[in-house]
Amino acid sequence: YLINPAEEPVIPRVVTPFPAPKLMELSMFQGEHKESLYWGTYRPHVYFGVRARTPLSLLTGLMWLGVNDGRYSMRHVCQNSDELKTYGWTHHNGRDYGHQVLVDQEFTLTTSFLKYKEKDSGYGGDWAVRIEAQSDKHSEEMSELVHLFFYVADEGGAAIDLGGGVMNIRDDSILAFGSRDDVGNWQLHLGSKDDREIHYSGFKTLHIHNLSDLVIANLGTQARKFNRLQLSDTSDHSPNILVFQISARIPFRADVVFVSGSSGHNSRMEERFRSLTGNSLTSRLNEKKNQFDDKFARCFNISDELNPEAKVVSKAALGNLLGGIGYFYGQSKISPLPSSNVKLGDNFISYWPAELYTAVPSRPFFPRGFLWDEGFHQLLIWRWDVHISLDIIGHWLDLMNIEGWIPREQILGAEALSKVPAEFVLQYPSNANPPTLFLVLRDMMCSIKKNQFAATERNEISIFLDRAFIRLEAWFNWFNTTQSGKIASSYFWHGRDNTTIKELNPKTLSSGLDDYPRASHPSEDERHLDLRCWMQFAADCMHSISKFLEKENEIGKEYGLTAKQLSDFDHLNKMHFDFTHGAYFDYGNHTEQVHLSWRLIERAGEYPIRELVREVSEKPVLRLVPHVGYVSLFPFMGRLIPPDSWILEKQLDLISNGSTLWTNFGLRSLAKTSSLYMKRNTEHDPPYWRGPIWMNMNYLILSSLNHYSKVDGPYRETAKTVYTDLRDNLIRNVVRNYNQTGYLWEHYDQKKGKGKGARLFTGWTSLVLLIMAEAYNEC
Ligand code: 6A9
């Protein structure tokens, strides 16, 4: 912070919130809505965890002891190295019910979550989780005990009391209790008829993200001293974390119940606890499951022509996306602008402390918010529960600064930070990320036009948009000014490194398509086709929103005009169409004559090291950048090509041709004919958007194929055939991978269709559900 003459701290503009009423302060997000979403499985980075949507919450979570290579290992935070055969939510409604299956070697754990509000309940109601452990093995073989660890922690550091339940007295099932401002008195109960032994350990620390280590250390000490696998049954003074070890033989079932309310009538708590355990819980869970199935059938029209396996995947896609919704709180780290004269001891500025309610792309790998991923997530979620969607979008729009910028990746809080390598932490205020939230808003407006919303929902969406409008405008203007190119109606993604000699083609992280090849030499002369199309789309969406809000004034007309200019077919072709290739391209300072080669670097007094550097054997010139791939298809995705144009036929050729983009598993990101097809970017960067098949882009392309198969024109039939084949390929491949590996994947290999990258990637890969349901924008 600078000190101005008046000695008042000046807050740098980049971390100044956008000065308008927040979306989250709207009354539609208060009251019952807010309370109904208070508790939830909002800790997607752990195998199972419950917290409230409040900065310093009471948290609970589950760990268990697994074995890898004959050694014990604690399962807690989702990690690939745990080698679970599969895990994920087979059902989850985003609100008060979810069922998760986790397969660890030969035993299967299930966690079934249920919320229930009674009139005596404290704020947010009561909730229960049923934990079941089963095995395929015969019971004699299962001589080993299963050790589960269930913990409760107060993030604010308030002390938690130990209940009598740990003494193994059957009648007293209270494991822990305490009192909080938000929910009043609370109790955590354990209901289980099975034989079990309970031990505990209490810790006092605010470093809750290190909890696995604390538990392992405690167990280790006990094992060394007494040769037993038991927590110490001791505690730090006034612990804010209590961990309960429940040891039992398989098959085994335990119901952990949280009840709260300040009334002080313990008997009512006892009663409520009883009703959330045993048979009563069983029937409530069954009822919720049936409701989920019914609603699923109503929301997504999955035709019977799909096989039962595909239907299982379709539900898991939705369940995992909803079960992957998290709540985060903290401060992003922002890079000071290069031009900024703010001097700070450290090399970053903190954003204001903020909350984010968001669906995460991948629980084990990327358990945090990503701006452009979110738009894709919400394409699914709004169709299921529009209130959850508005709440999530509202949180994102509230993260906007006074410039109209929204940071791309949200690393909020110590837990989120602990998962991110240092080089990815800083957010750059000059950098964008595709404005996919407009995709969702357009879908919603389309449904309004078709009268598919109930009156109250329609009304809420309009209240939401009314308040959001000024932010959406600021967002649009931020793009339109900061990302504009040298000539009118041109744009380029800022933030490419034009000094590096280590990358084969400097990355464009802001576009979302990371290593997708662009002009070899980043410069201000660049015109990025995808960004131009995003801008056209955003302008068009702003135009419809203005119309819907009856803001048919100058502003509204202006957006209409911009959208029209950007969709001008002749202009688009002049700027981006290559008539010899018959394809759309970026434009920039480019040469195809680049490659990586090893170079020896001499070092005084040390061995030389080998380094991979880029060699350029031709002077780059301003030209179209001849890579056919997802970027080339943006005008097609944007439906900017007239249905009777020969260019449409060309586009359909590129799509359906096996030597360019077509594979039997979906469309690859970069054509086989591209000079950078499947090329590494650096020694350590394997090809990412240079060949593999990605579901988000395939969804948008499919959606346009569907569109062109429905409008009149000479290529209608071709579009229909390509649509049908592409859809079949995508579904078949994702389902096959799910059955073989137990997971949805980040992207799929273009040769054999194998799932690659992050596994358990249930962000945009879940769009396979909309593909199955043939749910596209058809306005
Ligand atoms: C790396 C490594 C444990 C890359 O899905 C999120 C994003 C997309 O927005 C983007 O389009 N993914 C895509 O190209 C993943 C980005 C992960 C960056 C941080 C941390 C941690 O490994």
Side-chain angles (χ1 to χ4, degrees):
Y1 294 90
L2 288 176
I3 304 296
N4 75 4
E7 303 229 334
E8 279 182 17
V10 173
I11 299 172
R13 272 183 79 78
V14 68
V15 295
T16 304
F18 189 77
K22 299 229 162 183
L23 268 316
M24 294 323 295
E25 283 159 10
L26 280 171
S27 67
M28 60 186 285
F29 295 126
Q30 314 307 320
E32 215 191 305
H33 169 88
K34 189 167 188 166
E35 185 176 1
S36 71
L37 291 173
Y38 199 58
W39 292 109
T41 52
Y42 304 136
R43 306 182 65 215
H45 56 291
V46 295
Y47 288 118
F48 178 83
V50 176
R51 68 166 295 142
R53 297 202 311 166
T54 188
L56 295 174
S57 176
L58 196 67
L59 323 166
T60 64
L62 176 70
M63 308 184 199
W64 71 94
L65 267 186
V67 181
N68 290 113
D69 302 325
R71 295 183 52 167
Y72 281 117
S73 135
M74 190 61 88
R75 316 288 195 222
H76 179 209
V77 177
C78 302
Q79 294 190 119
N80 241 15
S81 54
D82 291 338
E83 291 177 3
L84 264 56
K85 284 188 192 137
T86 180
Y87 64 98
W89 297 96
T90 58
H91 303 75
H92 200 302
N93 67 12
R95 287 184 172 270
D96 58 6
Y97 168 69
H99 179 77
Q100 183 179 221
V101 180
L102 310 106
V103 182
D104 189 353
Q105 319 272 356
E106 54 281 322
F107 89 97
T108 300
L109 267 185
T110 56
T111 60
S112 310
F113 175 71
L114 182 108
K115 261 190 346 183
Y116 203 84
K117 166 100 184 149
E118 286 193 51
K119 68 174 187 332
D120 295 336
S121 305
Y123 186 80
D126 306 326
W127 57 261
V129 53
R130 166 162 294 172
I131 304 162
E132 282 176 286
Q134 273 153 353
S135 166
D136 310 332
K137 279 199 190 170
H138 295 300
S139 47
E140 318 89 74
E141 288 176 59
M142 289 304 302
S143 51
E144 295 257 340
L145 282 173
V146 172
H147 301 279
L148 304 178
F149 300 82
F150 197 91
Y151 61 86
V152 52
D154 189 298
E155 277 190 300
I160 294 177
D161 290 305
L162 192 64
V166 283
M167 304 313 178
N168 223 351
I169 303 165
R170 281 292 164 82
D171 299 342
D172 188 351
S173 70
I174 300 180
L175 293 175
F177 62 96
S179 176
R180 285 176 53 93
D181 289 344
D182 54 352
V183 298
N185 296 329
W186 61 265
Q187 298 177 346
L188 192 73
H189 288 252
L190 175 69
S192 168
K193 288 215 164 58
D194 299 316
D195 265 340
R196 79 282 195 275
E197 208 176 297
I198 298 183
H199 297 278
Y200 77 94
S201 183
F203 304 95
K204 183 162 183 63
T205 172
L206 289 177
H207 300 283
I208 297 178
H209 63 280
N210 292 337
L211 188 56
S212 320
D213 298 341
L214 294 178
V215 172
I216 291 165
N218 188 297
L219 281 177
T221 310
Q222 294 296 305
R224 274 191 303 279
K225 277 201 205 148
F226 309 109
N227 195 24
R228 63 184 184 204
L229 216 55
Q230 284 173 11
L231 285 177
S232 59
D233 291 317
T234 60
S235 173
D236 293 348
H237 183 64
S238 359
N240 65 318
I241 307 178
L242 287 178
V243 184
F244 301 97
Q245 175 179 9
I246 306 166
S247 307
R249 274 173 222 291
I250 288 178
F252 166 75
R253 181 174 107 183
D255 300 335
V256 179
V257 184
F258 176 87
V259 284
S260 72
S262 307
S263 66
H265 296 306
N266 266 357
S267 57
R268 278 293 301 155
M269 281 207 182
E270 183 70 26
E271 225 175 288
R272 281 189 275 137
F273 150 66
R274 294 271 167 239
S275 75
L276 284 176
T277 178
N279 293 339
S280 162
L281 180 60
T282 309
S283 59
R284 284 185 182 174
L285 285 170
N286 284 339
E287 193 186 325
K288 283 285 168 195
K289 182 180 172 297
N290 293 337
Q291 284 171 7
F292 176 91
D293 289 340
D294 290 348
K295 184 171 176 184
F296 189 88
R298 259 184 290 129
C299 278
F300 305 104
N301 177 23
I302 306 232
S303 91
D304 289 328
E305 126 236 347
L306 288 177
N307 62 29
E309 289 176 340
K311 289 192 175 168
V312 170
V313 177
S314 72
K315 277 187 192 167
L318 178 72
N320 278 308
L321 188 62
L322 292 166
I325 292 178
Y327 170 92
F328 303 91
Y329 180 82
Q331 292 174 271
S332 289
K333 296 185 178 190
I334 312 296
S335 155
L337 277 172
S339 60
S340 150
N341 55 6
V342 180
K343 292 269 177 300
L344 290 166
D346 225 343
N347 225 3
F348 68 86
I349 315 178
S350 290
Y351 222 48
W352 62 89
E355 349 180 47
L356 182 62
Y357 172 58
T358 178
V360 306
S362 167
R363 290 170 59 196
F365 281 90
F366 320 122
R368 53 186 176 275
F370 286 84
L371 182 52
W372 93 301
D373 296 62
E374 194 76 90
F376 291 105
H377 302 161
Q378 297 314 316
L379 287 179
L380 237 100
I381 295 180
W382 80 262
R383 290 175 157 92
W384 174 258
D385 189 324
V386 78
H387 296 106
I388 292 182
S389 243
L390 293 176
D391 194 320
I392 289 177
I393 298 169
H395 273 91
W396 276 99
L397 293 178
D398 282 351
L399 286 168
M400 179 176 289
N401 76 1
I402 192 168
E403 311 278 5
W405 174 66
I406 305 176
R408 170 166 65 99
E409 187 172 342
Q410 295 288 329
I411 306 160
L412 305 177
E415 272 190 308
L417 190 62
S418 68
K419 279 257 175 177
V420 187
E423 69 265 31
F424 293 104
V425 170
L426 287 194
Q427 298 300 304
Y428 295 87
S430 49
N431 294 3
N433 203 205
T436 54
L437 298 181
F438 283 115
L439 289 171
V440 195
L441 299 180
R442 180 201 50 182
D443 266 21
M444 285 183 189
M445 301 234 287
C446 177
S447 283
I448 285 174
K449 264 191 219 145
K450 293 183 169 173
N451 246 330
Q452 288 164 339
F453 279 116
T456 48
E457 284 176 343
R458 189 199 144 100
N459 193 29
E460 278 168 347
I461 294 171
S462 110
I463 292 169
F464 180 91
L465 287 174
D466 198 48
R467 181 166 288 192
F469 195 75
I470 189 170
R471 285 172 189 269
L472 295 173
E473 282 207 280
W475 203 28
F476 182 87
N477 287 333
W478 181 86
F479 272 93
N480 205 25
T481 50
T482 68
Q483 308 293 302
S484 62
K486 269 197 177 158
I487 58 172
S489 296
S490 78
Y491 299 90
F492 70 98
W493 298 107
H494 285 51
R496 294 188 72 204
D497 183 351
N498 62 5
T499 60
T500 175
I501 53 156
K502 300 243 168 100
E503 295 177 55
L504 181 57
N505 186 280
K507 283 205 287 276
T508 318
L509 294 173
S510 44
S511 73
L513 309 172
D514 301 16
D515 65 340
Y516 185 94
R518 309 282 181 162
S520 59
H521 292 69
S523 74
E524 308 231 314
D525 287 303
E526 267 183 276
R527 302 175 205 153
H528 289 138
L529 174 61
D530 49 341
L531 184 50
R532 178 194 166 108
C533 293
W534 283 119
M535 292 307 291
Q536 188 282 330
F537 178 71
D540 190 49
C541 190
M542 285 304 287
H543 181 57
S544 329
I545 297 175
S546 323
K547 274 206 284 199
F548 173 63
L549 295 176
E550 288 162 16
K551 288 190 200 274
E552 277 280 49
N553 49 18
E554 290 313 303
I555 307 167
K557 290 204 186 101
E558 182 86 28
Y559 286 118
L561 216 66
T562 309
K564 215 166 153 213
Q565 272 164 9
L566 289 173
S567 56
D568 184 281
F569 196 49
D570 290 334
H571 189 254
L572 171 72
N573 292 342
K574 217 168 93 197
M575 304 261 278
H576 290 286
F577 195 70
D578 183 321
F579 283 85
T580 42
H581 278 85
Y584 287 103
F585 294 136
D586 280 346
Y587 176 90
N589 196 22
H590 183 72
T591 168
E592 285 284 282
Q593 302 306 316
V594 289
H595 60 272
L596 292 178
S597 65
W598 290 104
R599 190 171 74 175
L600 270 189
I601 310 224
E602 305 289 342
R603 297 182 304 168
E606 277 179 87
Y607 286 113
I609 49 166
R610 263 158 52 94
E611 216 183 34
L612 206 50
V613 295
R614 175 167 103 159
E615 273 174 13
V616 181
S617 48
E618 179 193 76
K619 194 173 167 326
V621 292
L622 289 176
R623 53 172 290 190
L624 288 168
V625 182
H627 296 291
V628 170
Y630 288 162
V631 166
S632 330
L633 295 181
F634 265 74
F636 177 80
M637 293 184 226
R639 304 175 189 178
L640 300 179
I641 304 166
D644 55 0
S645 164
W646 64 274
I647 292 182
L648 181 60
E649 188 180 24
K650 272 288 182 193
Q651 297 275 295
L652 292 170
D653 275 356
L654 291 176
I655 291 173
S656 57
N657 189 335
S659 61
T660 45
L661 297 176
W662 188 266
T663 82
N664 290 335
F665 322 102
L667 299 181
R668 46 167 92 81
S669 39
L670 190 62
K672 259 176 139 173
T673 48
S674 160
S675 58
L676 295 193
Y677 172 68
M678 289 311 283
K679 288 262 165 42
R680 297 181 86 82
N681 200 39
T682 68
E683 184 183 354
H684 306 288
D685 277 335
Y688 200 35
W689 294 84
R690 294 185 182 173
I693 298 158
W694 295 76
M695 197 55 63
N696 57 342
M697 291 292 116
N698 272 281
Y699 172 77
L700 292 182
I701 295 163
L702 208 51
S703 177
S704 284
L705 283 167
N706 179 57
H707 164 79
Y708 285 113
S709 74
K710 292 193 171 159
V711 294
D712 274 340
Y715 313 111
R716 191 176 165 165
E717 283 310 311
T718 318
K720 178 83 200 155
T721 315
V722 180
Y723 167 79
T724 310
D725 292 349
L726 178 56
R727 175 171 176 265
D728 287 352
N729 286 346
L730 288 164
I731 296 174
R732 191 185 335 101
N733 192 52
V734 170
V735 172
R736 180 177 63 100
N737 269 280
Y738 187 86
N739 288 335
Q740 282 172 0
T741 66
Y743 293 99
L744 293 179
W745 293 75
E746 185 181 14
H747 47 83
Y748 294 85
D749 165 80
Q750 72 293 341
K751 277 216 177 105
K752 300 231 166 84
K754 228 166 124 12
K756 288 279 173 68
R759 73 173 187 201
L760 207 165
F761 186 98
T762 48
W764 59 45
T765 302
S766 322
L767 288 171
V768 71
L769 161 57
L770 295 189
I771 294 174
M772 291 183 191
E774 307 200 74
Y776 313 108
N777 179 280
E778 284 178 57
C779 260

